[in-house]
Amino acid sequence: MQKLIELKKDEEILVSSKPGKYLKPDYVYIPVKKEDKLLVKPNEKVKIGSNITTSSISPISGVVRSLKKMMSFNNALYYLEIENDFEEQRVKEGAKKRKFSKEEVFEVLSGKLKDKKNLVLNAIDDELYVVTENFYLFLYYDVFLELLDDLDSMFHLEHIIVCVSASSSENISNLMSDLGMYPHIELKMVPSLYLLGKTEFLLSYLGMDEKNTVVIKASRFYDAYNTLKRGRCPSDKLFTISGNAIKNPMVIQSKIGVLLKDIIKELIEFKEKDFLFIAGGLMQGKIIDIDNFVITHSLNSILIMKKEEVRESLSCLKCGACHDICPKGLYPNLFSDPVYFEQKKNICLKCGLCSYICPVYINFNKYWKGENNE
């Protein structure tokens, strides 16, 4: 396995063990992609779980309003606004203890369990100050174990492994107290090494191959649990809001589609006046403007960091540190060469280690944004 490192972090940034909640927004915004077809009309009433487009449902009950330009990790340009009526009406759901078939499992998990011998539940967060995957397991470990046991009975798997960070004491304690009832489910505590949460590195660490093993993130497993065991599509999600510019880092349980600025106004206390918002983590994320930023299913974190800590890059020293640390053995300092960049861009993990290690603070992500060399 490629040698991985542990990232240095500010020990004063501590995420609360109690999640914040934002489950009754006035409005939500549903992304409408180019390939989507709208299934509702303006002023139409919808329920929780109603189909809004061919790829999305409503997370609230209310009235459809109009399309608006917003931003999110979905890269959609337009979002359909739905006004909450606070009646919490839902479309008809399946029974909570419903049985499900192999075909349903294949559909929910995109066929990932077909012909597999091993299942790994991945509750590891790679990014600094982000604990989203860890919290999914912390809040839902009991029902996760039930679903894993059901999948074992159905597919007769050789190995079922729950992977957690060795620093996740709460999850380790919970799992060790319950795993006696599930002798076929193993607990694996892994070191806090950056990128170990990625499938290829985690499987290498476990000594397992991708051909026979499916790795499922805890957040994705939460969706599968809702669909298979409760007969509903999830209308909420977890994500971390953290950073050194706020007093109360926490994991937020939020309706999908709410505006980030509304959550921050309601729940977050600032201790700095000059700060930046970073979506997706310090290593792999991007700086955003929160005014029209929508919380979508794919978002795992928002970091609010002191602006003074963003360092200005200097000229490359050609020291080779970026190559030495690259998990794929690339030469990020050569990304300024369009030919080299085009050849290697599909190999690059965009993990940010090259920028992290660079002694003159070059942000190599600029080449992915189409920016010119310095």
Side-chain angles (χ1 to χ4, degrees), residues 269-303:
E269 298 179 53
F270 288 87
K271 63 180 182 181
E272 301 290 335
K273 294 182 178 179
D274 202 10
F275 45 79
L276 292 170
F277 296 95
I278 303 172
L282 279 177
M283 299 296 290
Q284 301 179 60
K286 61 181 180 181
I287 296 173
I288 61 167
D289 182 341
I290 71 164
D291 281 349
N292 293 305
F293 192 88
V294 178
I295 303 301
T296 53
H297 194 274
S298 56
L299 181 76
N300 72 330
S301 65
I302 296 291
L303 297 186

Side-chain angles (χ1 to χ4, degrees), residues 13 16 110 308 351 361:
I13 301 178
S16 172
S110 304
E308 64 190 37
C351 66
Y361 319 132

Side-chain angles (χ1 to χ4, degrees), residues 1 10 14 41-42 48 62 104 106 127 231 244 288 290-291 338 347 358 366 369-370:
M1 184 182 76
D10 184 345
L14 299 174
K41 298 178 181 179
I48 299 172
E104 286 180 288
F106 292 151
E127 286 280 359
N244 59 12
I288 61 167
I290 71 164
D291 281 349
I347 301 174
C358 180
K366 66 184 179 181
K369 300 172 184 176

Side-chain angles (χ1 to χ4, degrees), residues 307-346:
K307 194 171 184 178
E308 64 190 37
E309 294 195 359
V310 177
R311 301 168 294 187
E312 186 175 347
S313 63
L314 304 173
S315 297
C316 177
L317 300 176
K318 296 180 173 60
C319 64
C322 57
H323 167 68
D324 292 340
I325 203 170
C326 178
K328 292 295 187 178
L330 301 180
Y331 290 85
N333 60 308
L334 297 182
F335 280 175
S336 56
D337 179 350
V339 175
Y340 182 81
F341 179 75
E342 191 64 28
Q343 290 174 342
K344 304 299 183 182
K345 67 179 183 180
N346 292 329

